[in-house]
Amino acid sequence: MTGPENSEQGPGLTRRGAATRRRIVEAAAELMYVRGVSSTTLDEVRAASATSKSQLYNHFADKEQLVRAVVLLRAEEIMEREHAALQNLRSFNGLVRWRDALVQRNALQKGAYGCVLGSIAGEVSDQDEVARMALAKTFEAWEQLIEAGLRRMQDARTLAADADPQKLAIGLMAALQGGYLLAQTAHDVTHMEIALDMALDHVRAYLST
């Protein structure tokens, strides 16, 4: 599975050190998701992860390094989930189930915080090239999972031969991320549902009859 490097990698880390690092990154990821990257301070991360200042700075020299680790952690989580959801996709009903699962998950929080990756991307992409590239790589891998499922539909002759799986995958991803953003601002997943349903209607037009 294509994706960013593992967020827990670190030279010379003991098991306890790796656990501490993981705890810091997970606490930072949760805070940055709810509060935003710019509004989350290192002191808040330290308090939420129950670590000392020396422990935090032993693993991360500054906030930029921590943000990059959060990006990698979230990328791993997203790709693990989406790989499980999409690796056997080969029908339009499978796409609908994928859509339903994403909407339902977002509905649990009334769409309040958006996509865990998209929300970070909006804040760091113009400020940190390393983080931007990691985010771009993850979104590309996510699109490729969707595209691979559409190609399997084509191989099964349920999707027309003249359909372009790559373009359809990009359209579905754009609808998903746009839907996340609108749901986040409205605190209502209806916008996400509509965006994804319109993208799925476009795919439906290419189904073999």
Side-chain angles (χ1 to χ4, degrees), residues 22-175:
R22 177 83 181 193
R23 192 168 72 249
I24 293 169
V25 177
E26 287 179 341
E30 187 62 27
L31 285 169
M32 290 176 185
Y33 183 42
V34 174
R35 295 172 55 84
V37 174
S38 60
S39 297
T40 299
T41 68
L42 291 180
D43 282 342
E44 288 170 335
V45 173
R46 181 174 56 79
S49 60
T51 53
S52 66
K53 185 173 291 188
S54 61
Q55 283 178 307
L56 191 150
Y57 283 103
N58 182 54
H59 291 284
F60 302 101
D62 52 32
K63 186 175 177 180
E64 183 178 72
Q65 285 190 4
L66 180 57
V67 170
R68 291 174 182 178
V70 168
V71 168
L72 293 181
L73 174 66
R74 290 308 198 189
E76 290 166 10
E77 292 172 344
I78 287 283
M79 292 310 298
E80 182 177 355
R81 184 195 76 200
E82 292 302 287
H83 186 265
L86 294 167
Q87 63 180 334
N88 295 316
L89 174 66
R90 58 184 71 249
S91 69
F92 187 77
N93 285 340
L95 274 176
V96 173
R97 287 193 295 271
W98 169 74
R99 170 262 191 217
D100 289 348
L102 289 168
V103 170
Q104 180 60 33
R105 186 178 294 109
N106 207 26
L108 294 175
Q109 56 199 19
K110 301 183 187 301
Y113 309 119
C115 173
V116 294
L117 285 180
S119 59
I120 295 175
E123 290 197 68
V124 307
S125 291
D126 292 334
Q127 301 172 14
D128 186 339
E129 183 64 10
V130 173
R132 185 198 68 76
M133 290 179 65
L135 287 161
K137 185 176 181 181
T138 304
F139 282 122
E140 181 182 9
W142 196 348
E143 287 173 6
Q144 288 173 347
L145 285 174
I146 301 171
E147 180 185 344
L150 293 168
R151 292 194 182 281
R152 286 191 292 272
M153 289 172 60
Q154 238 174 8
D155 291 341
R157 298 184 180 180
T158 58
L159 187 67
D162 62 347
D164 187 328
Q166 183 180 37
K167 289 183 179 180
L168 292 175
I170 291 172
L172 284 166
M173 179 59 71

